[in-house]
Amino acid sequence: MQNKVTQLFQEAHGREPSIISRAPGRIEFIGNHTDYNGGTVLGAAVDSGVWVAAAPREDGRRRWRSAIGDAVIETGGELTKLEGDSSWINYPQGVLAAMQSHGLALPGGFDFAVESDLPVGAGLSSSAAIELASGLAFLAMTGQEVDRETLVKIGRKAENDFVGVPCGILDQGVSGFGKRHRLVFIDCKGPKFDRVPMPEGAHFWIFNTHTKHALVDGLYSARHSECMAAAADLGVKQLADATLELFASEVHQLSPTVAKRARHILEEIDRVGKSIAALERADLKTVGELLTASHRSSQHAFENSTPELDSLVDTLTRLPGVYGARLTGGGFGGAVMALTDGSFGEADADVVVETYQAEWGAEPQVLHMQTGEGAELIKPDAP
Ligand code: ADP
Ligand code: MG
């Protein structure tokens, strides 16, 4: 990918980039809808991502090129939101706006190019990857350094405030703190970041259904409100402040629907803790059971699954080599992630695709991934 982004930069701008950076996509491993409840979540940075090549310009012009577009686009010094084919530039422009509000200096003019081996919109957060890779490039261009946490917050602010997507801290946190053979643990209260070992030999397989519930935004906000109602009924500020014991003693006060939502969040936070303990003793069998339990809880208690996602999990959990499977991300469509051992291969993935095709008349997109490194500056080398 380094060669590809360099080549794209050379074609677009007719010179060599002085800066190259990259940032990975991420998988929500376990911890479903826990973020806005002040809970915990585990994510994996994957071994695919977004690459940025850049070089400063003396004339103040900003010239942007991505392999997903087909032309160089020019902007001036002002950060104005773009639409249509140029709208991808809102992500790096949002990073500039967020850097500014963090009191950081901005580069003047520059040439910029983006390449990626991460599918867009597959639930792997290509948006966080472009934000973090851009952030590292802009910092390098201006000779500034920030700690990881600040880089992550700048990326999130770009997406929340400039692009206007109300994502939680998972996407940028995992892209920023990811490591090969590690998962990223985030306590969303704070937020606090840590890493957990991911035993070697574990593989991720993603089956992206390309389905999306027509009412997904309304369903998200309904779940959000139900969780806030549950916290109020339990007398806590956020659901993560309640224990399973408190829930058991107060559950009769909650409406049946609100009780189901609260049960999912509290048990999910419990599963995150149990997953960490199992990962630390390299017990992938238990981890897999927790992943599948998370899905079943989404299916029956939080009700953010779909029949398509359920059928993928049903098929996957019957196949040898699969530790467990669950929907990954917000749900109401999207993708299922399976954790497998090395014996699970293309032929097994084909079985999953054929079974799905026979039932739903469409093919899911299949991606095979492992853990990868978090965001990094590739050129110039760190001093
Ligand atoms: P995802 O789940 O992949 O994060 P989003 O809709 O949140 O999906 O973000 C995808 C957007 O991020 C794209 O529409 C585009 O604007 C931007 N993006 C991702 N990858 C690239 C790329 N290689 N070049 C330019 N923009 C990109
Ligand atoms: Mg995104």
Side-chain angles (χ1 to χ4, degrees):
M1 286 307 292
Q2 182 167 352
N3 289 342
K4 266 180 103 171
V5 76
T6 303
Q7 212 179 338
L8 182 70
F9 186 95
Q10 288 164 339
E11 280 166 24
H13 305 298
R15 60 182 184 134
E16 287 293 315
S18 55
I19 290 159
I20 294 177
S21 57
R22 57 158 289 280
R26 66 97 188 92
I27 297 172
E28 177 197 286
F29 188 76
I30 193 166
N32 186 254
H33 286 258
T34 51
D35 54 353
Y36 54 84
N37 289 296
T40 52
V41 59
L42 282 173
V46 295
D47 50 356
S48 307
V50 171
W51 290 70
V52 164
R57 290 178 67 97
E58 296 300 326
D59 60 6
R61 293 154 75 190
R62 292 176 177 162
R63 292 171 55 78
W64 312 84
R65 173 79 164 96
S66 163
I68 69 168
D70 54 12
V72 174
I73 295 154
E74 187 165 326
T75 62
E78 257 164 71
L79 298 171
T80 15
K81 218 173 149 180
L82 305 173
E83 295 197 6
D85 288 347
S86 315
S87 61
W88 66 269
I89 297 169
N90 293 332
Y91 292 86
Q93 285 206 116
V95 169
L96 291 171
M99 281 172 64
Q100 196 161 37
S101 62
H102 271 77
L104 292 158
L106 300 192
F110 49 77
D111 290 329
F112 195 90
V114 192
E115 262 287 1
S116 168
D117 55 0
L118 200 60
V120 169
L124 295 170
S125 205
S126 65
S127 57
I130 191 174
E131 287 150 12
L132 268 68
S134 303
L136 285 176
F138 296 142
L139 289 164
M141 220 182 280
T142 47
Q144 301 172 101
E145 265 185 69
V146 300
D147 57 30
R148 276 283 120 162
E149 202 169 320
T150 306
L151 178 68
V152 162
K153 286 181 176 161
I154 286 172
R156 183 186 181 186
K157 193 170 171 55
E159 184 138 355
N160 288 170
D161 295 354
F162 197 86
V163 180
V165 176
C167 62
I169 194 69
L170 174 74
D171 301 355
Q172 293 80 14
V174 175
S175 186
F177 282 89
K179 269 251 165 269
R180 196 155 155 68
H181 303 310
R182 296 278 186 280
L183 296 182
V184 178
F185 167 78
I186 305 177
D187 185 344
C188 301
K189 226 184 283 168
K192 285 199 278 293
F193 303 92
D194 206 349
R195 293 186 182 117
V196 177
M198 182 71 193
E200 277 183 47
H203 295 249
F204 302 117
W205 288 81
I206 304 285
F207 297 87
N208 179 18
T209 65
H210 292 294
T211 58
K212 185 175 168 189
H213 200 293
L215 303 173
V216 64
D217 291 341
L219 288 162
Y220 272 29
S221 61
R223 292 299 175 280
H224 188 275
S225 311
E226 288 157 358
C227 289
M228 299 307 132
D233 291 349
L234 292 169
V236 291
K237 205 165 137 237
Q238 290 181 292
L239 262 182
D241 298 330
T243 58
L244 279 163
E245 293 70 38
L246 175 73
F247 174 73
S249 70
E250 300 293 323
V251 63
H252 60 279
Q253 313 258 30
L254 277 55
S255 81
T257 301
V258 167
K260 280 201 282 186
R261 310 303 188 236
R263 180 185 302 283
H264 172 75
I265 299 300
L266 292 176
E267 290 182 352
E268 188 73 357
I269 292 169
D270 189 50
R271 278 187 288 271
V272 172
K274 287 180 171 148
S275 299
I276 294 169
L279 285 163
E280 278 167 352
R281 50 175 203 274
D283 177 1
L284 288 170
K285 183 170 172 292
T286 299
V287 173
E289 287 164 6
L290 291 160
L291 295 176
T292 306
S294 164
H295 184 82
R296 297 307 176 199
S297 177
S298 277
Q299 183 177 352
H300 301 296
F302 208 66
E303 297 179 283
N304 62 329
S305 186
T306 62
E308 289 92 336
L309 299 174
D310 297 340
S311 85
L312 279 173
V313 170
D314 293 344
T315 308
L316 280 160
T317 49
R318 278 197 297 266
L319 290 173
V322 176
Y323 293 116
R326 63 181 289 271
L327 69 83
T328 177
F332 305 112
V336 161
M337 172 208 76
L339 183 70
T340 76
D341 65 24
S343 74
F344 187 96
E346 295 293 341
D348 301 291
D350 287 346
V351 171
V352 178
V353 171
E354 282 155 24
T355 310
Y356 186 91
Q357 160 81 34
E359 195 173 2
W360 303 102
E363 283 195 6
Q365 174 189 23
V366 182
L367 301 159
H368 175 200
M369 304 183 139
Q370 285 177 285
T371 51
E373 291 295 326
E376 58 190 332
L377 186 64
I378 306 285
K379 179 184 170 178
D381 284 341

